[in-house]
Amino acid sequence: MNQLPLARGDAPGKIILFGEHAVVYGRPAIAAPVTQVRARADIFPARTCTVEAVDLHQRVDVAHAPADDPFARMVRLVCDALQRPLPPWRIVVTSDIPIAAGLGSGAAISAAIGRAMLTAFGAAMPLAELSALVYEVEKLHHGTPSGIDNTVVVYERPVWFVRGQPPVPFAVARPIHLLIADTGVPSPTKIAVGDVRRAWEQDTARFEALFDGVGDIARQARAAIEAGDIPALGPLMNANQDLLSRMGVSSPELDRLIQAALEAGAAGAKLSGAGRGGNMIALVGDEDAVRVTRALRAAGAVRVLSTSIQPQGML
Ligand code: MEV
Protein backbone atom coordinates (compact mmCIF):
# COMPACT_ATOMS: atom_id res chain seq x y z
CA MET A 1 0.00 0.00 0.00
CA ASN A 2 1.28 3.46 -0.86
CA GLN A 3 2.16 5.47 2.22
CA LEU A 4 0.56 8.93 2.46
CA PRO A 5 3.06 11.75 2.81
CA LEU A 6 3.25 13.82 6.00
CA ALA A 7 3.37 16.91 3.84
CA ARG A 8 3.68 18.08 0.26
CA GLY A 9 5.05 21.18 -1.40
CA ASP A 10 5.30 22.31 -4.97
CA ALA A 11 6.46 25.19 -7.15
CA PRO A 12 6.07 26.12 -10.84
CA GLY A 13 8.58 26.56 -13.62
CA LYS A 14 9.29 30.04 -14.98
CA ILE A 15 10.02 31.93 -18.17
CA ILE A 16 11.87 35.19 -18.56
CA LEU A 17 9.89 37.45 -20.89
CA PHE A 18 12.47 40.23 -21.07
CA GLY A 19 15.87 40.98 -19.59
CA GLU A 20 17.85 37.76 -18.95
CA HIS A 21 21.59 38.23 -18.46
CA ALA A 22 21.26 42.05 -18.28
CA VAL A 23 19.37 41.46 -15.01
CA VAL A 24 22.56 40.02 -13.49
CA TYR A 25 24.10 43.49 -14.12
CA GLY A 26 21.34 45.49 -12.43
CA ARG A 27 18.95 46.07 -15.36
CA PRO A 28 15.23 45.31 -14.89
CA ALA A 29 13.66 42.08 -16.14
CA ILE A 30 10.19 40.59 -16.44
CA ALA A 31 9.45 36.95 -15.62
CA ALA A 32 6.33 34.84 -15.17
CA PRO A 33 5.54 31.45 -13.64
CA VAL A 34 4.72 28.49 -15.89
CA THR A 35 2.18 26.52 -13.92
CA GLN A 36 1.87 23.63 -16.42
CA VAL A 37 5.20 22.27 -15.24
CA ARG A 38 5.99 21.86 -11.54
CA ALA A 39 8.47 20.50 -9.06
CA ARG A 40 7.04 18.58 -6.08
CA ALA A 41 8.39 17.41 -2.75
CA ASP A 42 6.66 14.74 -0.61
CA ILE A 43 7.79 14.13 2.97
CA PHE A 44 7.53 10.69 4.61
CA PRO A 45 8.51 9.65 8.15
CA ALA A 46 11.89 7.89 8.25
CA ARG A 47 14.84 7.23 10.58
CA THR A 48 17.24 9.75 9.10
CA CYS A 49 16.93 12.81 6.90
CA THR A 50 17.34 12.05 3.20
CA VAL A 51 16.36 13.68 -0.06
CA GLU A 52 15.55 11.38 -2.99
CA ALA A 53 15.38 12.87 -6.47
CA VAL A 54 13.55 10.14 -8.32
CA ASP A 55 14.09 11.51 -11.84
CA LEU A 56 17.79 12.13 -11.23
CA HIS A 57 18.41 8.74 -9.53
CA GLN A 58 19.95 10.60 -6.62
CA ARG A 59 19.71 9.94 -2.87
CA VAL A 60 21.31 12.38 -0.48
CA ASP A 61 21.94 11.71 3.22
CA VAL A 62 21.55 15.28 4.48
CA ALA A 63 23.69 14.91 7.65
CA HIS A 64 26.68 13.69 5.62
CA ALA A 65 26.22 15.50 2.30
CA PRO A 66 28.90 17.95 1.11
CA ALA A 67 28.22 21.64 1.74
CA ASP A 68 27.64 22.28 -1.98
CA ASP A 69 24.88 19.68 -2.39
CA PRO A 70 21.83 21.78 -3.38
CA PHE A 71 19.18 19.46 -1.85
CA ALA A 72 20.97 19.16 1.49
CA ARG A 73 21.67 22.92 1.48
CA MET A 74 17.96 23.75 1.15
CA VAL A 75 17.01 21.34 3.96
CA ARG A 76 19.67 22.77 6.26
CA LEU A 77 18.73 26.37 5.43
CA VAL A 78 15.07 25.75 6.34
CA CYS A 79 16.06 23.98 9.60
CA ASP A 80 18.43 26.82 10.52
CA ALA A 81 15.81 29.48 9.74
CA LEU A 82 13.26 27.70 11.95
CA GLN A 83 15.88 26.71 14.55
CA ARG A 84 14.97 23.03 14.30
CA PRO A 85 17.27 20.01 14.26
CA LEU A 86 17.43 17.85 11.11
CA PRO A 87 14.11 15.98 11.07
CA PRO A 88 13.79 12.19 10.50
CA TRP A 89 12.20 12.54 7.05
CA ARG A 90 12.53 11.05 3.61
CA ILE A 91 11.94 13.96 1.24
CA VAL A 92 11.05 12.68 -2.23
CA VAL A 93 11.49 15.19 -5.06
CA THR A 94 9.90 14.83 -8.50
CA SER A 95 9.68 17.36 -11.30
CA ASP A 96 8.37 17.67 -14.80
CA ILE A 97 10.35 20.87 -15.40
CA PRO A 98 13.15 20.04 -17.84
CA ILE A 99 16.60 20.46 -16.27
CA ALA A 100 19.14 22.96 -17.65
CA ALA A 101 16.49 24.29 -20.02
CA GLY A 102 15.97 27.84 -18.76
CA LEU A 103 12.71 27.02 -16.98
CA GLY A 104 13.97 27.44 -13.42
CA SER A 105 13.98 23.77 -12.40
CA GLY A 106 16.66 24.25 -9.72
CA ALA A 107 14.81 27.11 -8.01
CA ALA A 108 11.47 25.27 -8.26
CA ILE A 109 12.89 22.11 -6.62
CA SER A 110 14.35 24.15 -3.74
CA ALA A 111 11.07 26.05 -3.32
CA ALA A 112 9.07 22.78 -3.32
CA ILE A 113 11.36 21.30 -0.63
CA GLY A 114 11.01 24.48 1.43
CA ARG A 115 7.22 24.52 1.15
CA ALA A 116 6.87 20.84 2.08
CA MET A 117 9.17 21.28 5.09
CA LEU A 118 7.23 24.33 6.33
CA THR A 119 3.99 22.34 6.18
CA ALA A 120 5.53 19.32 7.91
CA PHE A 121 6.94 21.55 10.67
CA GLY A 122 3.61 23.40 10.95
CA ALA A 123 5.55 26.64 10.44
CA ALA A 124 4.92 29.76 8.36
CA MET A 125 7.46 31.92 6.57
CA PRO A 126 7.00 35.14 4.57
CA LEU A 127 7.49 34.67 0.82
CA ALA A 128 10.45 37.07 0.85
CA GLU A 129 12.23 34.87 3.39
CA LEU A 130 11.56 31.62 1.50
CA SER A 131 12.75 33.31 -1.69
CA ALA A 132 15.96 34.39 0.10
CA LEU A 133 16.64 30.78 1.17
CA VAL A 134 16.12 29.51 -2.39
CA TYR A 135 18.47 32.26 -3.56
CA GLU A 136 21.20 30.86 -1.30
CA VAL A 137 20.85 27.50 -3.08
CA GLU A 138 20.81 29.20 -6.48
CA LYS A 139 24.29 30.49 -5.71
CA LEU A 140 25.48 26.86 -5.81
CA HIS A 141 24.02 26.44 -9.31
CA HIS A 142 25.76 29.54 -10.61
CA GLY A 143 27.91 31.99 -8.73
CA THR A 144 26.14 35.26 -9.53
CA PRO A 145 22.38 34.69 -9.75
CA SER A 146 20.32 37.85 -10.07
CA GLY A 147 17.58 36.39 -7.85
CA ILE A 148 14.88 36.50 -10.53
CA ASP A 149 14.34 32.71 -10.68
CA ASN A 150 13.78 32.23 -6.94
CA THR A 151 11.53 35.32 -6.84
CA VAL A 152 9.18 34.24 -9.62
CA VAL A 153 8.84 30.60 -8.53
CA VAL A 154 8.25 31.51 -4.88
CA TYR A 155 5.81 34.40 -5.51
CA GLU A 156 4.10 32.52 -8.38
CA ARG A 157 3.21 35.83 -10.03
CA PRO A 158 4.57 37.78 -13.00
CA VAL A 159 7.34 39.92 -11.58
CA TRP A 160 9.15 43.11 -12.49
CA PHE A 161 12.52 42.45 -11.00
CA VAL A 162 15.63 44.50 -10.27
CA ARG A 163 18.50 42.74 -8.57
CA GLY A 164 18.69 43.38 -4.82
CA GLN A 165 15.21 44.91 -4.64
CA PRO A 166 11.88 43.37 -3.63
CA PRO A 167 9.66 42.52 -6.65
CA VAL A 168 7.48 45.47 -7.66
CA PRO A 169 3.66 45.30 -8.05
CA PHE A 170 3.00 44.84 -11.74
CA ALA A 171 -0.40 44.68 -13.49
CA VAL A 172 -1.12 42.56 -16.57
CA ALA A 173 -3.97 44.37 -18.34
CA ARG A 174 -4.72 41.72 -21.00
CA PRO A 175 -3.79 38.03 -21.39
CA ILE A 176 -0.46 37.26 -23.05
CA HIS A 177 -0.44 33.96 -24.97
CA LEU A 178 2.92 32.31 -25.40
CA LEU A 179 4.34 29.09 -26.77
CA ILE A 180 7.40 27.69 -25.03
CA ALA A 181 9.51 25.43 -27.24
CA ASP A 182 12.42 23.32 -26.07
CA THR A 183 15.49 22.90 -28.31
CA GLY A 184 16.29 19.70 -26.37
CA VAL A 185 19.84 21.00 -25.95
CA PRO A 186 20.73 21.13 -22.23
CA SER A 187 22.47 24.36 -21.26
CA PRO A 188 23.55 24.84 -17.65
CA THR A 189 22.96 28.45 -16.58
CA LYS A 190 26.39 28.54 -14.98
CA ILE A 191 28.22 28.20 -18.31
CA ALA A 192 26.29 30.86 -20.24
CA VAL A 193 26.40 33.29 -17.30
CA GLY A 194 30.16 32.66 -16.87
CA ASP A 195 30.81 33.26 -20.59
CA VAL A 196 28.88 36.54 -20.52
CA ARG A 197 30.87 37.57 -17.43
CA ARG A 198 34.20 36.94 -19.21
CA ALA A 199 33.04 38.76 -22.36
CA TRP A 200 31.85 41.71 -20.21
CA GLU A 201 35.24 41.82 -18.47
CA GLN A 202 37.01 41.91 -21.83
CA ASP A 203 34.77 44.52 -23.45
CA THR A 204 32.89 46.22 -20.65
CA ALA A 205 31.73 49.26 -22.64
CA ARG A 206 30.16 47.14 -25.40
CA PHE A 207 28.39 44.85 -22.95
CA GLU A 208 27.17 47.71 -20.75
CA ALA A 209 25.61 49.24 -23.89
CA LEU A 210 23.93 45.90 -24.75
CA PHE A 211 22.61 45.62 -21.17
CA ASP A 212 21.31 49.22 -21.31
CA GLY A 213 19.47 48.34 -24.53
CA VAL A 214 17.88 45.32 -22.83
CA GLY A 215 16.88 47.46 -19.81
CA ASP A 216 15.15 49.99 -22.10
CA ILE A 217 13.27 47.16 -23.83
CA ALA A 218 12.13 45.75 -20.47
CA ARG A 219 10.82 49.19 -19.43
CA GLN A 220 8.91 49.59 -22.72
CA ALA A 221 7.53 46.06 -22.35
CA ARG A 222 6.26 46.75 -18.84
CA ALA A 223 4.46 49.89 -20.06
CA ALA A 224 2.90 47.89 -22.94
CA ILE A 225 1.80 45.04 -20.63
CA GLU A 226 0.26 47.49 -18.14
CA ALA A 227 -1.53 49.29 -20.99
CA GLY A 228 -2.78 46.02 -22.53
CA ASP A 229 -0.87 46.76 -25.74
CA ILE A 230 0.08 43.13 -26.40
CA PRO A 231 0.97 43.62 -30.12
CA ALA A 232 3.76 46.00 -29.04
CA LEU A 233 5.46 43.10 -27.24
CA GLY A 234 6.32 41.22 -30.46
CA PRO A 235 8.85 43.72 -31.85
CA LEU A 236 10.25 44.21 -28.33
CA MET A 237 10.86 40.44 -28.02
CA ASN A 238 12.62 40.45 -31.39
CA ALA A 239 14.78 43.41 -30.36
CA ASN A 240 15.65 41.68 -27.06
CA GLN A 241 16.62 38.52 -28.99
CA ASP A 242 18.88 40.57 -31.27
CA LEU A 243 20.75 41.92 -28.21
CA LEU A 244 20.98 38.41 -26.68
CA SER A 245 22.47 37.13 -29.96
CA ARG A 246 25.04 39.91 -29.82
CA MET A 247 25.90 38.82 -26.26
CA GLY A 248 26.68 35.40 -27.73
CA VAL A 249 24.01 33.41 -25.88
CA SER A 250 21.80 32.30 -28.78
CA SER A 251 22.54 29.09 -30.70
CA PRO A 252 21.75 27.60 -34.12
CA GLU A 253 18.97 25.48 -32.55
CA LEU A 254 17.39 28.51 -30.85
CA ASP A 255 17.73 30.60 -34.02
CA ARG A 256 16.03 27.86 -36.04
CA LEU A 257 13.02 27.70 -33.68
CA ILE A 258 12.78 31.51 -33.50
CA GLN A 259 12.83 31.84 -37.27
CA ALA A 260 10.26 29.06 -37.71
CA ALA A 261 7.91 30.70 -35.18
CA LEU A 262 8.17 34.12 -36.86
CA GLU A 263 7.66 32.67 -40.34
CA ALA A 264 4.55 30.83 -39.10
CA GLY A 265 3.03 34.08 -37.83
CA ALA A 266 4.26 34.58 -34.24
CA ALA A 267 4.28 38.28 -33.35
CA GLY A 268 7.69 37.98 -31.67
CA ALA A 269 10.11 35.33 -30.44
CA LYS A 270 13.22 35.09 -28.29
CA LEU A 271 15.23 32.70 -26.19
CA SER A 272 14.20 32.53 -22.52
CA GLY A 273 16.61 31.94 -19.64
CA ALA A 274 20.34 31.57 -20.00
CA GLY A 275 20.27 30.60 -23.71
CA ARG A 276 22.76 28.50 -25.71
CA GLY A 277 20.07 25.81 -25.71
CA GLY A 278 17.03 25.30 -23.50
CA ASN A 279 13.78 27.03 -24.37
CA MET A 280 12.53 29.85 -26.54
CA ILE A 281 9.21 31.68 -26.29
CA ALA A 282 6.91 32.91 -29.05
CA LEU A 283 4.08 35.44 -28.74
CA VAL A 284 0.98 34.14 -30.51
CA GLY A 285 -2.64 35.06 -31.08
CA ASP A 286 -5.38 32.41 -30.65
CA GLU A 287 -5.65 32.06 -34.42
CA ASP A 288 -1.97 31.26 -35.06
CA ALA A 289 -1.11 29.08 -32.04
CA VAL A 290 -1.74 25.76 -33.82
CA ARG A 291 0.19 26.78 -36.94
CA VAL A 292 3.15 28.09 -34.93
CA THR A 293 3.19 24.95 -32.74
CA ARG A 294 3.37 22.77 -35.87
CA ALA A 295 6.16 24.91 -37.31
CA LEU A 296 8.14 24.69 -34.07
CA ARG A 297 7.82 20.89 -34.02
CA ALA A 298 8.86 20.68 -37.67
CA ALA A 299 11.89 22.86 -36.89
CA GLY A 300 13.05 20.39 -34.21
CA ALA A 301 11.37 21.43 -30.95
CA VAL A 302 11.31 18.40 -28.61
CA ARG A 303 8.38 19.86 -26.66
CA VAL A 304 6.02 22.79 -27.10
CA LEU A 305 3.99 24.12 -24.17
CA SER A 306 1.22 26.65 -24.46
CA THR A 307 0.82 29.11 -21.59
CA SER A 308 -0.86 32.42 -20.91
CA ILE A 309 -0.15 35.18 -18.45
CA GLN A 310 -3.47 36.33 -17.09
CA PRO A 311 -4.70 39.79 -16.03
CA GLN A 312 -5.08 38.86 -12.36
CA GLY A 313 -1.31 38.40 -12.28
CA MET A 314 -0.85 41.26 -9.85
CA LEU A 315 1.82 40.99 -7.17
C1 MEV B 1 18.43 32.61 -15.75
O1 MEV B 1 17.09 32.19 -15.66
C2 MEV B 1 18.47 34.09 -16.01
C3 MEV B 1 19.87 34.70 -16.09
O2 MEV B 1 19.65 36.11 -16.25
C4 MEV B 1 20.68 34.44 -14.85
C5 MEV B 1 20.15 35.15 -13.62
O3 MEV B 1 19.38 36.10 -13.71
O4 MEV B 1 20.57 34.76 -12.50
C6 MEV B 1 20.62 34.19 -17.30
Side-chain angles (χ1 to χ4, degrees):
M1 198 178 75
N2 281 344
Q3 194 184 14
L4 278 179
L6 280 176
R8 300 198 129 144
D10 67 1
K14 70 100 208 341
I15 46 172
I16 297 194
L17 283 163
F18 294 96
E20 49 275 271
H21 288 291
V23 68
V24 175
Y25 299 81
R27 276 48 166 208
I30 300 173
V34 179
T35 49
Q36 291 93 332
V37 285
R38 299 192 84 83
R40 297 177 188 80
D42 286 340
I43 296 183
F44 300 92
R47 286 212 203 124
T48 58
C49 186
T50 58
V51 181
E52 285 175 28
V54 181
D55 320 304
L56 300 173
H57 309 290
Q58 266 188 45
R59 185 177 175 279
V60 175
D61 176 354
V62 177
H64 301 105
D68 63 354
D69 179 274
F71 300 130
R73 178 102 176 103
M74 187 64 199
V75 174
R76 290 187 190 124
L77 282 164
V78 175
C79 289
D80 290 351
L82 300 175
Q83 298 183 310
R84 308 277 188 128
L86 273 188
W89 293 339
R90 185 165 71 94
I91 305 172
V92 178
V93 175
T94 52
S95 173
D96 46 30
I97 308 171
I99 294 164
L103 295 184
S105 75
I109 288 172
S110 301
I113 291 174
R115 289 218 165 104
M117 289 182 69
L118 289 170
T119 305
F121 277 132
M125 185 181 273
L127 293 180
E129 197 180 333
L130 179 59
S131 180
L133 299 186
V134 176
Y135 179 73
E136 288 305 308
V137 184
E138 286 293 284
K139 285 191 200 162
L140 300 174
H141 292 298
H142 75 98
T144 55
S146 64
I148 193 167
D149 286 17
N150 46 285
T151 302
V152 69
V153 306
V154 168
Y155 283 82
E156 294 205 51
R157 293 279 188 276
V159 293
W160 169 260
F161 181 83
V162 178
R163 186 172 185 170
Q165 296 177 17
V168 171
F170 170 54
V172 176
R174 291 182 53 204
I176 305 169
H177 300 296
L178 295 160
L179 297 174
I180 307 171
D182 194 341
T183 59
V185 178
S187 169
T189 303
K190 193 177 191 153
I191 295 176
V193 169
D195 287 351
V196 171
R197 165 83 46 189
R198 274 181 291 281
W200 171 77
E201 280 163 2
Q202 274 165 18
D203 197 347
T204 308
R206 188 169 93 83
F207 272 74
E208 285 292 319
L210 292 172
F211 298 153
D212 281 343
V214 173
D216 285 346
I217 289 169
R219 275 182 275 274
Q220 291 175 54
R222 174 178 168 179
I225 294 170
E226 287 180 329
D229 185 4
I230 307 306
L233 295 179
L236 290 171
M237 287 170 73
N238 296 339
N240 194 162
Q241 171 61 22
D242 179 47
L243 294 173
L244 287 161
S245 273
R246 291 205 250 155
M247 284 176 213
V249 292
S250 201
S251 73
E253 294 83 1
L254 283 164
D255 292 346
R256 199 176 313 130
L257 295 188
I258 289 165
Q259 196 188 338
L262 293 174
E263 282 172 10
K270 63 181 277 294
L271 68 83
S272 181
R276 291 280 169 74
N279 279 268
M280 54 75 73
I281 54 175
L283 181 68
V284 288
D286 284 343
E287 61 294 346
D288 20 65
V290 173
R291 194 175 56 246
V292 178
T293 302
R294 273 200 210 111
L296 285 166
R297 291 224 174 89
V302 297
R303 147 149 111 163
V304 183
L305 291 173
S306 165
T307 193
S308 54
I309 302 170
Q310 292 296 331
Q312 67 271 25
M314 181 79 178
L315 190 65

